[in-house]
Amino acid sequence: TNYPWVTTVAGGMMFNSISGTDADYHMIGRGEHGMDALCKYLTNSGSDLKFKKMTRNTHGHGLTSKQYKLIDCRYDYPAEPKRTVKVSRGCRFHCAFCEYYPLGVKGDWTRDVDDFESEMQENYDRWGVTNYLLTDETINDRTEKIEKFGAVVKSLPFKARFHGYMRSDLLISRGQREIDACLEMGIMGHWYGVESLNHQSAKAIGKGMASDRVKEGLLMLDKHFEVNMSFILGLPHETIDSMR
């Protein structure tokens, strides 16, 4: 309102989460390269910018339409994989309820070990940091990844401790090797998206391990780690009794 000549940008992982925001441009996905392209476009008329013009109906005082300039970084300006960013990008899984891009990635998309080591050492030298919350979508998507970074942690002159999102069914099925890798790296705080202990409900969203095995495995994991769990109520095949 006060500075109408200033270009405004709304950003988020999905369009629906930012479509209600009044802005000159709406950017979805991770925006390092997209924002760079936009800035060059705005400051140099010769620079190209990939964006889509779209119209969406809105409900307010009657049915109206809203115009958008949509910059889709997921496809036009992808920023994954990114080896020197402070968190790994992408998830190898494609759970039915998740739209967090990119999903179903193959191979190693993690950051470089040298970049990881230098950050850990700098944070310790400057501020004495040893305790971390990992915002990786799934820390244990591959056992090799934990072993890769665990070797770095083991070489550090201090003891680090990590907390974050883990798949309990993978830990249970992979067994002692992955448990040992977590212990060696110091991943002691685990958050499991169990989602449901009703087998048919869990299977409907891509988590097919038998519920009895999940329960038994969770009790085993609780002996090694600090365990937190989350559940989704109201999945297909779920009943009031099974939710309780």
Side-chain angles (χ1 to χ4, degrees):
T1 301
N2 295 328
Y3 307 96
W5 59 89
V6 174
T7 300
T8 54
V9 185
M13 290 305 294
M14 291 171 283
F15 178 67
N16 287 342
S17 65
I18 59 172
S19 61
T21 306
D22 287 325
D24 296 308
Y25 293 90
H26 288 68
M27 184 177 295
I28 57 177
R30 296 181 175 89
E32 290 100 330
H33 302 320
M35 185 61 75
D36 184 53
L38 175 61
C39 291
K40 288 177 179 176
Y41 174 76
L42 294 173
T43 56
N44 178 0
S45 58
S47 296
D48 186 31
L49 179 68
K50 297 177 182 177
F51 67 90
K52 304 176 182 71
K53 291 183 179 180
M54 60 180 294
T55 303
R56 175 171 284 194
N57 292 331
T58 58
H59 296 274
H61 299 291
L63 185 64
T64 59
S65 61
K66 188 174 181 178
Q67 303 289 326
Y68 296 91
K69 293 179 181 177
L70 181 66
I71 303 171
D72 194 338
C73 298
R74 300 172 303 172
Y75 303 106
D76 292 327
Y77 298 102
E80 311 92 7
K82 193 169 175 63
R83 306 297 185 182
T84 56
V85 73
K86 300 308 180 189
V87 59
S88 299
R89 290 185 169 174
C91 181
R92 66 175 291 189
F93 305 106
H94 209 149
C95 296
F97 56 85
C98 183
E99 296 181 5
Y100 204 72
Y101 183 87
L103 300 173
V105 303
K106 299 184 185 301
D108 185 358
W109 282 41
T110 57
R111 63 190 292 192
D112 289 335
V113 290
D114 292 343
D115 182 63
F116 172 71
E117 182 177 16
S118 64
E119 183 191 5
M120 295 286 294
Q121 190 64 58
E122 180 185 13
N123 290 345
Y124 180 75
D125 292 340
R126 297 181 69 181
W127 303 292
V129 176
T130 60
N131 204 29
Y132 287 85
L133 174 64
L134 294 173
T135 56
D136 193 316
E137 280 90 350
T138 308
I139 297 169
N140 67 322
D141 54 359
R142 293 181 300 110
T143 307
E144 293 82 3
K145 182 175 77 174
I146 302 174
E147 292 173 339
K148 168 183 169 180
F149 292 108
V152 175
V153 172
K154 190 176 180 180
S155 71
L156 295 170
F158 58 90
K159 187 174 182 179
R161 183 181 175 90
F162 300 91
H163 312 255
Y165 300 104
M166 307 283 285
R167 286 230 2 196
S168 56
D169 54 345
L170 297 182
L171 270 165
I172 294 165
S173 63
R174 291 171 181 167
Q176 198 61 45
R177 176 187 169 188
E178 187 153 301
I179 291 172
D180 290 342
C182 290
L183 292 171
E184 184 161 284
M185 184 173 169
I187 309 173
M188 302 306 297
H190 292 198
W191 188 286
Y192 303 138
V194 177
E195 319 313 355
S196 177
L197 288 171
N198 178 26
H199 178 60
Q200 291 302 318
S201 301
K203 188 177 179 180
I205 57 170
K207 298 193 174 183
M209 181 176 284
S211 295
D212 287 344
R213 189 180 178 195
V214 173
K215 295 174 187 177
E216 183 180 331
L218 289 170
L219 291 172
M220 177 270 295
L221 293 173
D222 190 50
K223 297 175 182 178
H224 297 283
F225 309 107
E226 296 174 11
V227 170
N228 290 276
M229 293 177 282
S230 60
F231 296 84
I232 300 175
L233 300 182
L235 290 172
H237 312 293
E238 200 80 78
T239 67
I240 296 296
D241 287 340
S242 66
M243 284 191 287
R244 285 174 176 161

